[in-house]
Amino acid sequence: MALSRPDHPSSRTSRHPLWLLLGFWFCVVISIAVVLRRLNELIRPSHGRPPQMAAIDATFSSHAVLTAMHIIPAALFVVLAAVVLLRRTGSEWLERLFFFFGAMTGATAYAMSFHPVGGWVERSAVLVFNTWFLLSLARAYWLRLRGETARRREWMTRAVGILLGIATTRPVMGVFFATSAHTHLGPNQFFGIAFWIGFSINAVVIEIWLHSKRRAQLHNPGLYFGIFAVSPNEHPS
Ligand code: HEM
């Protein structure tokens, strides 16, 4: 059967490493979960939470509109990123929405960092990684306008990889919360450290992938680019 032939184009999608796909979906699920949790908290504030958590919730509820303007576009961007990068055929308007919501997420992330829980350490991480994300997104957009499909996809992949660092910060924060009785570190101290660790992990991992031999093998002209498959009609220039 044609589809099961190892050299058939459609079979090459499965050659993408499992670790990459698992990491990607892990980050997507965490991102959506944190948004749903925060939206729920903004709409129906819970009671009886530990003081540390209640204080953080109160902070976000005090600027609920800005928080919503950050997290709703962010969630939409993450969903669009999955759709756009997984689809084998491009969709003009889905990509436009991808760039639009990506820009909104980045812009509101700067605003969210005016009064960050983690102070200057967190703000510095936001300045570095958010700027890196937005520059990658802008470069992808510019390459799109020039019709450079393969390189556009590389920069879109980079932008998404960096942005999903926000999801990696969450388990890191979880470890800090769980060990706070021993470390005596509060959210004000560890949020910033968690931001640096989470975003750094994603930034390194995405560069490893983008420079890997495995990806280069997938770089079969006219067939596959980026993390995911590209249709034959999306030929690089
Ligand atoms: C470049 C990427 C991003 C940056 C730099 C960023 C930055 C920030 C900052 C600075 C805050 C405020 C934290 C504080 O006050 O201490 C925040 C809050 C938040 N962000 Fe983002 N963000 C990014 C992407 C995302 C994405 C992709 C999602 C989810 C889809 C997301 C979901 C949230 C949520 C839910 C909050 C509220 C806090 C919470 O419930 O934990 N962010 N973000």
Side-chain angles (χ1 to χ4, degrees), residues 10-188:
S10 60
S11 67
R12 297 187 188 215
T13 51
S14 61
R15 288 196 199 165
H16 292 102
L18 188 62
W19 63 264
L20 187 70
L21 291 171
L22 283 179
F24 177 75
W25 285 113
F26 175 77
C27 287
V28 169
V29 169
I30 292 188
S31 304
I32 301 302
V34 293
V35 169
L36 293 178
R37 194 207 153 264
R38 180 55 54 203
L39 278 177
N40 187 45
E41 193 58 44
L42 291 180
I43 296 164
R44 286 181 303 170
S46 55
H47 302 284
R49 305 200 5 103
Q52 274 189 342
M53 302 297 279
I56 294 171
D57 290 343
T59 306
F60 292 114
S61 297
S62 71
H63 48 266
V65 174
L66 173 61
T67 303
M69 282 175 66
H70 173 61
I71 67 179
I72 295 171
L76 292 171
F77 178 79
V78 168
V79 172
L80 281 165
V83 175
V84 167
L85 293 177
L86 284 168
R87 274 170 72 104
R88 298 175 67 219
T89 49
S91 159
E92 186 75 8
W93 67 271
L94 277 183
E95 267 198 24
R96 280 196 193 149
L97 288 175
F98 169 92
F99 285 106
F100 175 75
F101 286 119
M104 255 188 102
T105 305
T108 50
Y110 283 132
M112 292 290 284
S113 71
F114 279 159
H115 303 288
V117 173
W120 261 107
V121 181
E122 181 183 321
R123 194 177 298 140
S124 61
V126 172
L127 283 177
V128 170
F129 292 105
N130 198 31
T131 306
W132 195 346
F133 160 69
L134 284 172
L135 287 176
S136 303
L137 195 72
R139 186 153 174 81
Y141 190 74
W142 182 70
L143 291 164
R144 179 176 187 266
L145 294 180
R146 289 170 54 104
E148 294 192 37
T149 305
R151 293 186 63 222
R152 177 207 71 190
R153 229 163 149 97
E154 176 191 334
W155 283 90
M156 283 167 70
T157 303
R158 179 171 283 115
V160 170
I162 295 164
L163 169 121
L164 286 176
I166 198 76
T168 312
T169 64
R170 302 306 164 126
V172 177
M173 283 178 189
V175 172
F176 276 113
F177 270 116
T179 55
S180 61
H182 304 286
T183 60
H184 304 293
L185 292 176
N188 296 0

